[in-house]
Amino acid sequence: MTTHTATVAGVAVDTRHWIGGARVASAATFTDESPIDGRALAEIARGGRAEADAAVAAAQAAFPAWAATPPAERARLLRAVADGVDKRLEELAIVETTDNGALLRSHRRGVMPRVAHNFRFFADRLEELGHEDFDTRGHTNHVSWDPAGPCVLITPWNAPLMLATWKVAPALAAGNTVVLKPAEWSPLTASLLADIAAEAGLPAGVLNLVQGYGTEAGAALVAHPGVRRISFTGSVPTARHIARAAAANLVPTSFELGGKSPLLVFADADLDLAVDLAVEQYDNAGQVCLAGTRLLVESSIAEEFTRRFVARAEALRQGDPRDEATDIGPNIHARQLEKIDGFVRRALAAGARAVVGGGPNTDLGGLYYRPTLLTDVAQDSEIVQEEVFGPVLTLQTFDTEDEAVRLANDTRFGLAATLATGDPERAARVTARLVAGTVWVNCFFVRDLRAPFGGSRESGVGREGGTWSFDFYCDVKNTVTAPRGWRGHG
Ligand code: NAI
Ligand code: MG
């Protein structure tokens, strides 16, 4: 007998797709594992072309009614989804931790509350949406946002539900219908979201879920001619594939890709704060697109900075992410761990020195990589130029502000940059010269959802957040109305 429910940490998760308001199975499945111990968690329905077609058809069918639903009613339903997330917060947190290995304490206290906030925020934003009218010789230009149509949303495994809802919430608020394709290494919370949305009363076909591999379900979805928007978070090579597929149908895309962001520490910085910020870059075992993985430290304080950093890094507790005392858990998958270790081994062979870590934590078994700091690295080396996506930082020194900016910007990426400095004028000067979608001065990771988010260069295309999300997920319309009694140009 086939069962379509997996019990994960005591929580029942439906392993089928969610299409047009119904659970749909596939003949094929794939195995989802837990990075905590490598154990199989669930056999997940493995979608392809047929499921992609069915889901886009469901999204197309549901679109006219959802687009015509008054904003206040759409907002009410999104707030009901947020309430459902709050109600199941503990379950979402433990399922996500079991599935992707990120810390339970951050899922409980940071990530899942933010998931609910994504829905409430875009509901509020929808109700406030507006632009001042322009006046041209008495003619009023009025800006409005029309829903665009079915949106395909493709998301990664490092922050599965957080990144999915960062797209789902604005796309739905804008009056679009969506097909979500979660990452194959961490699909479970997306299925719980489908349950929550159904319980909240979201009409059938407004939110659809297709599970499966990127090259199968993902590729079929992004190539579908019925799709009006594609939003993707993940790697640069996959973004190139998606861009090619989108080009064939001239579908607008929004890409949030990787990074190799710098963290600049000037001699005038509060050194304790700078060390805190640097250690924070190990969060989620380094699997954070925004991570400031290149520490650039002014030479005069480099020794003292390194001494304090090493003490802090060595005190981090690595272990089971379900344990509240754990600071750093496992990496997502054996393949990711091998990739991380490959980068480190090649860097060491090229002359780098591991002042902290430098290899897997073999005491904990397969999937845990020790927090690592590499020095003696060349600017043009692989370890300084490529995204590792693991708990691996490099440290380089600089002597002048010019040199700091030059090193910071010498990368294909431009997602974020962090600086620690006690001099506000320096902060302003350096910020103006950095290529990055987000710059943090004496802080990290804090971000208002009203602000734009995205990357420069190969770190992304476009910006989402606040009104920028509505600009992307909508066809923006300008309506020009003549003044009363206007008789034409004649
Ligand atoms: P990926 O870019 O292959 O996967 C992300 C999503 O895209 C997944 O849902 C996947 O199924 C889907 N996908 C893959 N190929 C596709 C295709 N041809 N058409 C449509 N969808 C497709 O990333 P992956 O392999 O999981 O991770 C590789 C590297 O990417 C990481 O080591 C890291 O460097 C980077 N990465 C960056 C992230 C970020 O937040 N910017 C998130 C995850 C990974
Ligand atoms: Mg998993």
Side-chain angles (χ1 to χ4, degrees), residues 422-487:
D423 177 353
E425 284 170 26
R426 186 201 295 281
R429 270 194 317 269
V430 172
T431 298
R433 296 173 68 191
L434 290 172
V435 181
T438 302
V439 177
W440 279 291
V441 179
N442 295 323
C443 59
F444 180 65
F445 220 74
V446 187
R447 188 171 64 82
D448 194 293
L449 299 193
R450 288 170 297 189
F453 178 69
S456 304
R457 296 179 175 157
E458 287 187 23
S459 288
V461 174
R463 297 289 184 271
E464 292 185 44
T467 308
W468 287 271
S469 293
F470 288 93
D471 288 347
F472 172 69
Y473 290 107
C474 289
D475 291 325
V476 182
K477 180 184 278 170
N478 182 29
T479 304
V480 185
T481 304
R484 275 176 77 89
W486 197 69
R487 289 279 180 276

Side-chain angles (χ1 to χ4, degrees), residues 32-35 41 98-100 184-188 332:
D32 174 36
E33 295 167 359
S34 175
L41 295 172
T98 309
D99 200 3
N100 92 332
E184 48 270 50
W185 284 346
S186 59
L188 301 178
I332 183 79

Side-chain angles (χ1 to χ4, degrees), residues 155-157 181 184 214 218 232 234-235 238 257 289 336 339 387:
T155 50
W157 41 260
K181 209 298 282 172
E184 48 270 50
F232 166 73
S235 67
T238 300
L257 311 175
C289 53
Q336 188 67 15
K339 194 180 142 194
E387 182 177 48

Side-chain angles (χ1 to χ4, degrees), residues 28 57 66 84 116 161 170 303 305 315 322 334 339 341 374 378 383 404 409 461:
W66 181 245
L161 194 59
E303 213 178 289
F305 174 89
R322 293 167 296 195
K339 194 180 142 194
D341 197 41
L374 301 174
I383 197 70
N409 284 340
V461 174

